[in-house]
Amino acid sequence: MGQVTLRGIRKSYATVDVIKGIDLAVQEGEFMVFVGPSGCGKSTLLRMIAGLETITAGDLLIDGIRANDQRPADRGAAMVFQSYALYPHMTVAENMGFALKMAGVARKQRDEQVGRAAEVLRLGELLGRYPKELSGGQRQRVAIGRAIVRKPKVFLFDEPLSNLDAALRVNMRIELSRLHKELGTTMIYVTHDQVEAMTLGDRIAVFNQGHVEQLGAPLELYNRPANVFVAGFIGAPRINLIERPPVSGAAIAHQALWTALTSQTSTDAARIGLRPEHLHLAPTGEGIAATIALAEHLGDVSILHLRVDGVSDLLHAKVGANLPRCEAGQSVRLLPDANWALPYDANGRLIE
Amino acid sequence: MMIPTARRISPTWAPYLFISPFLILFAVFGVFPLAFSLYLAFQTWEPTSGLAAMQYVGVDNFAFALRDEWFWKSLKNTAWLAVASGLPQHLVAIPLAYFIHSSFTRLRNGVVGAYFMPYITSTVAIAILFSSLFSTDYGLINIGLQAMCQVPVLGWFMPQDPTDWLGQPENIKPAIAIIVFWRYVGFNVVLYLAALQTIPKDIYEAATMDGASRMQQFWHITLPSLKPMIFFGVTLSVIGGLQLFEEPFILTGGRGGSDQAGMTTAIYLYRMAFDFNDFGAASAMSWLLFIVVAILTWLTNRAFRPRGPSA
Ligand SMILES: Nc1ncnc2c1ncn2[C@@H]1O[C@H](COP(=O)(O)OP(=O)(O)O)[C@@H](O)[C@H]1O
Ligand SMILES: [Mg+2]
C-alpha cells in the first residue's frame, strides 16, 4: 500500500512545458522529498499526483493502478497545503472529520476516528476551536490531522512548514519524522529548503526546470552530487567550483590549487567541486596563498570567503571558530583535502 | 510662513471646524427632521394653519394608527411585497453569482454589468417600461401569455383572457414584486460576487481532496463563507423592502391601486401627510414602521450571526 510510480509524466500549460518527463518510483512507506528552486515545477507535479492538475502525458500509478483519470478523492492521497487551507467556519473536529462526512461515515464513528487522530497529534483540547483561534503551528497540526483521518495511502505535503517561524519549523520537522515512523505511510514532501530535505527525506529528488537532476539518499546527494546543479543546490555555504586553469599564463596560486585538487582524481576534469568544510587552513609556509575577503563568525564555526589569485569566484571555507589571523584583509594559506574533490566534465556531469 | 495670531484657529477647535460641513448638513437634513417627526408624532397639526396650530395630544396618534385598518393593510402589503420580492432576490442571486464566478472569465464584467443595469436606472423609466410591458391589451407579457395558450398541455395552465395586471387588486402586488425583484437582483449578485472572490481557492481544493462534489462544496464551503454577506444583503433587503415606495407609487398613480392592493406603509404615511394633511398621524406611523424595521433587522442578525467566535 502506498507505492507511487511516475512514468514519463509531462505537464504543459498552452505553450509552456512545466514538467518535462519525470520517471520516478516512490516505494511503499518511503519519505520522498522533492526539492528544487522556486518555480521548477515541484508543486505542479505534486498537484498532478493529488489530482488537482490534469496530467498532459505519461502514467501515474498508485499501487500499480493507473490513476490519471481517477477522481482526487479516489486516489487515496491526502494533501497538506502550505496555507493550511482549513475550513474557517468549521471547528477543528469538523475540519478533521469533513472527508469522513463526505464519505458518508456515521457521526459516532467519525468522532471516534477524529479523536484517535487528535491523540496522535496531541490536538485533544483544540477540537472545539475554530481555525482563527489557533496559532500557526496548531493550524499546521490540524491540517496534518485532517490528512491523517482519511487513512490515505500516501501523504502529499506542499511546503507545509514555510509559513512557520524558524524555531517552530525545527519542532515540526521532528514531529513529522516521528509521525512518519509511527504511521509508516508513504509521504511525498515538497520543499525548497535543503535543510528540510536533508533531515526528513529517505530519498531526495532534486528538481530543476521541470526535470529530476538527481535522485538519491541525502548523504549520497551531498557527497556525490551527480552534476554541478545538485552540487550547488545542496549544502550551505555553497560548494566551491574551481575552473581548470588555462594552459599558459595561469596564476601560480590557481595552478597550485588545481594541482593539489587533482592529485587523487582524473585530470581531464573541467571543474573541481570541493565542499567548504574540506578546505582547511595551513600553517605558514605550506599550502596555497589566499586573502580573506569576508569572515563570518558563527560561534561554533567561522565561514571564510577567500580570494585566490586567478580564481574568479570567492572560495568558501568552513573552519573552526576562534582561529587566529581570521579577519578580513588578512592573508592565509589553504590546504584542500583532495580526497573529497569532485571532478566535473565540461557538461557539468560528475566524472565517476 | 507665519500666520497672524489673530487669524489662527485654536488647535482645540480646528478639528471640529473641519468636520463642521458634514455636521451642519447632517444636523439640518438628518437630526432635525428625525427629532421633528418624533415631536410631531405627539402633536396634532395641520400645516396650512401655521406652526402655532400644533397641539399636544399624547399618544393619540399612535393609538389612532394602531386602530387604523388601512395602516394594518399597508403593513400587510409591505410585508407581502418584502417577502415576495426580497426572498427570490437572494435565492436567485447566490446561485447566479456562484455560476458567474465559476463559469465566466472574460465575459464576466459584461454579464455583471447587464445584471447591475436596472439598479442604476431611474425608477420612473423603469415604471414606464413596465407599465407598457404589463399593459392589458398591448403589453408584451400578455401577448406572450396568449401565445403560450396555443401550446398544447402548457396552454391549460395559461389564462385565456388578457390579464389586467395593474388594475385588478390581486395582480398588483405580484406585478410590483416582479419589478422590485428584477431591479435589485443584480445588486445582490454584485454583493455575492465580491464575497465569493474572498474565499481562498485552496479550501475548495482541500474539499476536492476530501471528496466533496461541486454541489457539496457549494453547500458546505460556499454558503457558510457567504453567511456574513447574506446577513448584509438580507438586512439591506429588509430595510429597503419595508420602506418600498417609488415603484408602487408610480405604478399605481400615487394612490396605492384599486382596493389599496399596492399601498405600502411608506405610500400610506405619505398620503396621510400630504393627501389627508395629518402630519401627526403620519409621523407616528413612520415611527411605528421604524420599530418594525428595527425588530426585523435584529431578527436577521440573530438568524445569520456567524458561527464561532465573533471576529
Ligand atoms: N496555471 C498555470 N499556467 C501557466 N504556467 C503555470 C501555471 N501554474 C504554474 N505555472 C508555471 O509552472 C512553473 C512551476 O510552478 P510550480 O510547480 O508552482 O513551481 P514550484 O517548484 O515553485 O512549486 C512556474 O514557472 C509557473 O510559472
Ligand atoms: Mg510551490
Side-chain angles (χ1 to χ4, degrees), chain A residues 13 18 37-44:
Chain A
Y13 290 110
V18 176
S38 195
C40 66
K42 314 174 294 282
S43 296
T44 306

Side-chain angles (χ1 to χ4, degrees), chain A residues 260-283:
Chain A
L261 284 170
T262 48
S263 63
Q264 307 284 322
T265 53
S266 74
T267 47
D268 45 357
R271 266 179 287 182
I272 299 283
L274 187 73
R275 298 249 174 233
E277 61 269 30
H278 300 134
L279 193 55
H280 307 291
L281 293 184

Side-chain angles (χ1 to χ4, degrees), chain A residues 15-55:
Chain A
T15 53
V16 244
D17 293 334
V18 176
I19 301 289
K20 299 160 187 163
I22 303 270
D23 292 282
L24 195 78
V26 184
Q27 303 306 323
E28 198 179 318
E30 186 175 30
F31 201 124
M32 168 69 81
V33 176
F34 294 171
V35 72
S38 195
C40 66
K42 314 174 294 282
S43 296
T44 306
L45 184 61
L46 195 75
R47 292 165 55 83
M48 283 157 86
I49 297 172
L52 295 173
E53 301 276 353
T54 55
I55 296 169

Side-chain angles (χ1 to χ4, degrees), chain A residues 39 42-44 82 158-159 190:
Chain A
K42 314 174 294 282
S43 296
T44 306
Q82 175 177 349
D158 192 356
E159 312 221 9
V190 162

